[in-house]
Amino acid sequence: MKYYSLNHNAPKVSFKEAVIQGLASDKGLYFPENITALDPAFFDKIESLSHKEIAFEAIKQFVGDEIPADKLKEIIADTLVFDFPVVKVEDGIYSLELFHGPTMAFKDVGARFMSRCLGYFNKDKKDAKNTVLVATSGDTGGAVASGFLGVDGVDVVILYPSGKVSDIQEKQLTTLGQNIKALEVDGVFDDCQDMVKKAFLDETLAHKNLTSANSINIARWLPQMFYFFFAYKALKSQNKSLVFSCPSGNFGNICAGIMAKKLGLPIEHFVASTNVNDTVPRFLENGKYDPKPSKATISNAMDVGNPSNFIRIQELYNNDLKAFEKDFSSYSYTDEETLVALKNIYNTDGYIAEPHGAVGYLGLKKELEKHSNAIGIFLETAHPIKFLDVVEPALGITLPIPAQIESVINEEKVSVKIGTYEELKEFLGQLN
Ligand SMILES: *Cc1c(COP(=O)(O)O)cnc(C)c1O
C-alpha cells in the first residue's frame, strides 16, 4: 500500500516509510492511496470473530506486505491486551469504554500498535535508532511512554509543561525509565510543541531519525478503526442503525470511524462533540474553516484550536460538503453544560463518566432527536480517575484508585528540566 501527502508535494511512500517519517517532507499528512471495502461475508459473521481477528481484517490492506501476516497478527495480539466493553447507560444509549488499557486513555491502542510496528522495522538496524519526540499536554505522553517502553531501537523523549499536567499524568510520564525520557519544560504546552516542531525541521538532528507519535502518524491513527468494529459486533443483534458520538480534539478518532465506514461498516451517522474549541462546528454552520488559538477547558485533551486530522476527513469525502453533512454533525458545549451532563448521567443513570465522555453524551443526545430508530454510542475516552479533580467534587464521590494508576503513583519521578531549544538539542545529542 502506498501513501500520498495531502499537501501533494512529496513522493508517495510505503507504509513503513510513512510510519518512520510521521509527516511527509512537504509537511502534509499521509493518506492511503486505495481504500477497499471488506467482503460483506465478514460483516455477516463478525459475531463469531475475536477482537484480534476483526482487527487483522480491518488493518491488513493498509499494511500490505510490509509486515508479514504472522508478525502483524502478533503485533495486534500484543496491542489488544485489554477489553473494550459496550455498557448500557440508558435506553438506546451506550458507552463504548476505551479506557481499560495500561494508561487508562484510548490512546493506548494507537501507541502500542505504532511502537510495535517501529520495533519491527528496526529489527535489522541495530545501530541506527529512531527517536520518538512528542509534546504532551497530558494523555498522549503517558500512552506513548507506556506503549514504547522497552521497544528495541527506539528512544522516546517526551516534553511536558512543568506544573501544568495532573499528578497522575506526570507520574505516568516520568517513572518508567529505560528508553523513556521526560523533559520538564519551563513554559506552557505551546512552548513544548514549538520546540518539537523546530527539532523536526533542524537538519543537524537528521541523524537522530526523529519521528512523531501523535495521530498524524498513520500507525497511531489507523488502529483506532478497531473500536467501531468492536461496538458493531457487540450491538449487531439489536438490528438497529448506529449513531456514534466522538469527543473530538485532533479528530483522529472520528476520522478512523469514517475509515471504518468506508470499509463497509454500517454506521448511520457520526457526531463530533467538542468543547468550546469549536472550529469544526463553526465550519459546518457557515462553511468557513477559521481556526482559533485553543482555550483551556475541563475536557483538556480536546483543547485544540486547529484539529490536524480534519483534512483527512475532507479527503474521505472528496471535499464534497453535501455528502459530508449527510453523515456528519458537530456540536460544541461549554464547561457548565458538561458538568450538568456529568451530574445527570450519574444521578439518573448511575453511570460515572468524565468530562470528555460527558461532552460526547451531550452531542449524541442532540443528534438522536433526528434518528428515532437508531441506537447511540458515545466513546468514553478516559477513565474518570484521570480527571478526578473535576469528577469527584462534581459528583460528591471518592473514586477508588485502579491498579494501573496505583502502580505508578508511588514511584519516583525522574525528569530533566529544560527551558530553551538549545537545551533540547544538547539532550538529544547525548542520547546514543
Ligand atoms: C486525545 C483525547 C481525545 C481527543 O481525541 P482526538 O482523536 O484527538 O479527537 C478525547 N478524549 C481524551 C481523553 C483524549 O485523551
Side-chain angles (χ1 to χ4, degrees), residues 363-378:
L364 182 63
K365 281 287 245 199
K366 177 156 172 152
E367 184 63 33
L368 282 177
E369 292 166 7
K370 297 188 223 158
H371 303 260
S372 51
N373 250 327
I375 302 182
I377 302 117
F378 66 95

Side-chain angles (χ1 to χ4, degrees), residues 106-107 139 247-253 301-302 356 381-382:
F106 81 88
K107 295 179 172 76
D139 269 359
S248 297
N250 260 323
F251 284 62
N253 225 354
M302 308 198 293
H356 304 78
T381 45

Side-chain angles (χ1 to χ4, degrees), residues 210-384:
L210 298 180
T211 192
S212 70
N214 55 31
S215 55
I216 63 168
N217 195 303
I218 54 165
R220 239 211 67 194
W221 165 54
L222 289 171
Q224 300 177 115
M225 292 187 297
F226 303 161
Y227 312 140
F228 299 85
F229 286 91
F230 298 165
Y232 174 71
K233 174 186 170 181
L235 295 169
K236 184 184 169 193
S237 64
Q238 300 200 22
N239 238 328
K240 294 262 178 86
S241 329
L242 303 182
V243 174
F244 279 94
S245 172
C246 304
S248 297
N250 260 323
F251 284 62
N253 225 354
I254 196 161
C255 184
I258 299 170
M259 287 288 280
K261 180 168 171 146
K262 276 258 170 184
L263 294 182
L265 191 68
I267 297 176
E268 177 162 299
H269 202 83
F270 292 97
V271 186
S273 301
T274 73
N275 57 31
V276 292
N277 293 285
D278 61 351
T279 301
V280 173
R282 280 187 290 112
F283 170 75
L284 284 171
E285 209 137 90
N286 63 20
K288 275 195 229 109
Y289 190 79
D290 176 26
K292 300 249 160 85
S294 64
K295 299 186 195 97
T297 74
I298 56 170
S299 49
N300 59 28
M302 308 198 293
D303 294 351
V304 180
N306 189 5
S308 43
N309 285 288
F310 193 59
I311 186 163
R312 282 186 172 138
I313 297 180
Q314 289 175 301
E315 186 77 2
L316 279 162
Y317 285 97
N318 289 319
N319 292 299
D320 175 349
L321 194 59
K322 281 263 153 12
F324 176 48
E325 285 179 326
K326 188 169 158 283
D327 286 1
F328 188 98
S329 308
S330 189
Y331 308 117
S332 104
Y333 297 94
T334 63
D335 281 354
E336 290 70 33
E337 291 168 317
T338 305
L339 284 170
V340 170
L342 199 64
K343 289 178 199 164
N344 280 343
I345 298 168
Y346 182 63
N347 293 329
T348 313
D349 302 322
Y351 186 76
I352 304 174
E354 54 67 62
H356 304 78
V359 170
Y361 170 90
L362 282 168
L364 182 63
K365 281 287 245 199
K366 177 156 172 152
E367 184 63 33
L368 282 177
E369 292 166 7
K370 297 188 223 158
H371 303 260
S372 51
N373 250 327
I375 302 182
I377 302 117
F378 66 95
L379 277 53
E380 189 32 295
T381 45
H383 190 287

